[in-house]
Amino acid sequence: MKEVCVGSKGLDGIVVGDTALSLVDGQKGILIYCGYNIDQLASKNFTEICHLFLYGHLPNKDEEENLKIALGQRYTLPKDVVSFLERQSKKDHPMGTLRTAVSMLSGFRSEPDLNSHEELVECAIDLIAKTGTIVSAISRIRSSKEPLSPDANLSFADNFLYMSTGEIPEKKMMRAFDTALILHMDHGFNASTFTARVVTSSLSDMISAVTAAIGSLKGPLHGGANTAVMKMLKEIGSVENVEAWLSNTLTEKKKVMGFGHRVYKVLDPRAKHLKRMSQEWGEIAKEKKWFQISEKLEKLMLEKKGLNANVDFYSASTYYTMGIEPEMYTPIFAVARMVGWTAHVIEQLKDNRIMRPSANYIGPIGKML
Ligand code: COA
């Protein structure tokens, strides 16, 4: 008989599988994507890092161009999905709308053969391309604007911004957005990625896996935290109010959104890039308040609770000063994380075993009817 071991709540510290996609070193505060430190990759563009995850290496110029074209050919959504977005985007949480729209895509394409790497990569590219279009359409419909047709000549981040704002953004904005997307692409066996791998492990399909992952990312303990951070910064309202607000919040034993991490015991390496961006965009937008409130809160949280900021903390003030509506922060996270999810689905299938942990039964035994 196998030995039964009672695991840790929330799978804390439990290793459930191998991955060559990303390494999260929580003690040193290092994040590696496919062998490269995130600090080296942050200044690259979305397509290059997408190529790294899907093909295992950084692209040369031709490979990058080919992936850009492949994404561009898949930006356009089926009409029924656009009609659904037009009906639903103002009614539901944007992550709920995104989840259903991504799930609908399975009705408009064939399921890839799980044994064909080529077909799986093609499906991944299709999902990555279309998720950007879905999220930009949700954003426009929410602000009573017509969704725009994609421009296949633009690279992924540039097209996403164009479809969201209706303008070709200036270079600084485009490169900053590339960096933000790259920083959110993958992060080990986080809750949503693990969800995608669990679904895949039953040999279900890629669209089911990423649909479930979107549902997981939505929660405020995971991707939903970035929207919650902006709500919190607005509630604080001024640098002068940070100390009193924090004192009340901690007395009431409430969590401060954007702080703490299961794995990082030091500063989240993504947060330092986003902090720099938050400061820069505050200066560009001539609205330094959100960065200043954030910086003071970061300092006090470290002093009072020993907790560092995570990826969601400075992404909130960065996106806000870029002019993006807070409810769209988590869907934008999903646009980036779609790369990681699909790469993990492909990796899970290479050496699959169904995920089937055991539970510690704590109910009664032998009740009589
Ligand atoms: N604010 C205040 N206290 C926090 C905290 C936060 N953001 N994060 C953790 N803590 C405290 C908990 O209250 C708990 O204290 P206790 O032992 O006195 O009860 C302790 O730190 C451990 O927290 P716990 O929630 O058990 O850690 P976890 O590893 O299960 O959860 C997170 C990790 C990220 C979910 C958690 O830190 C959190 O909820 N953060 C806020 C949401 C967030 O920013 N999520 C995005 C993550 S990238």
Side-chain angles (χ1 to χ4, degrees), residues 12-27:
D12 193 350
I14 306 287
V15 175
V16 294
D18 294 339
T19 181
L21 296 171
S22 58
L23 165 72
V24 183
D25 184 330
Q27 301 299 328

Side-chain angles (χ1 to χ4, degrees), residues 12 42 44 84 101 126 142 144 161 170-171 216 294 299 308 311 316 320 339 346 358:
D12 193 350
K44 300 222 168 267
F84 165 76
D126 197 33
R142 281 172 61 83
S144 304
L161 285 171
E170 52 181 75
K171 221 175 171 84
S216 169
S294 304
K299 182 172 167 279
N308 282 292
V311 66
Y320 196 74
V339 176
I346 295 170
S358 303

Side-chain angles (χ1 to χ4, degrees), residues 172-193:
K172 201 171 171 57
M173 174 83 163
M174 295 195 276
R175 297 296 66 84
F177 210 68
D178 264 322
T179 302
L181 292 177
I182 289 168
L183 294 171
H184 286 85
M185 269 189 193
D186 196 39
H187 206 238
F189 279 29
N190 60 85
S192 57
T193 300

Side-chain angles (χ1 to χ4, degrees), residues 44-50 128 156 178 181-182 185 336 339:
K44 300 222 168 267
N45 69 52
F46 180 94
T47 314
E48 289 175 283
I49 311 307
C50 182
I128 294 162
F156 185 88
D178 264 322
L181 292 177
I182 289 168
M185 269 189 193
V339 176

Side-chain angles (χ1 to χ4, degrees), residues 111-115 120 123 127 189 191-213 340-356:
E111 268 189 27
D113 174 353
L114 298 186
N115 296 308
L120 287 166
C123 185
L127 285 170
F189 279 29
S192 57
T193 300
F194 184 54
T195 301
R197 291 190 77 127
V198 171
V199 174
T200 303
S201 80
S202 72
L203 299 183
S204 184
D205 66 292
M206 190 181 274
I207 295 185
S208 296
V210 300
T211 301
W341 292 330
T342 52
H344 277 269
V345 168
I346 295 170
E347 188 181 60
Q348 177 66 31
L349 287 166
K350 284 186 191 152
D351 183 23
N352 185 53
R353 190 175 183 204
I354 190 163
M355 304 266 190
R356 203 317 181 180

Side-chain angles (χ1 to χ4, degrees), residues 4 40 48 57 65 100 157 188 191 204 269 326:
V4 176
Q40 293 173 277
E48 289 175 283
H57 63 272
E65 186 59 21
T100 306
S204 184

Side-chain angles (χ1 to χ4, degrees), residues 77 82 85-86 89 131-143 145-148 160 163-164 328:
L77 299 175
V82 177
L85 294 174
E86 282 167 343
S89 297
T131 303
T133 311
I134 292 170
V135 170
S136 59
I138 295 173
S139 160
R140 286 187 70 81
I141 295 163
R142 281 172 61 83
S143 42
K145 292 179 187 145
E146 286 278 306
L148 291 175
F160 178 78
M163 283 192 299
S164 305
M328 295 312 296

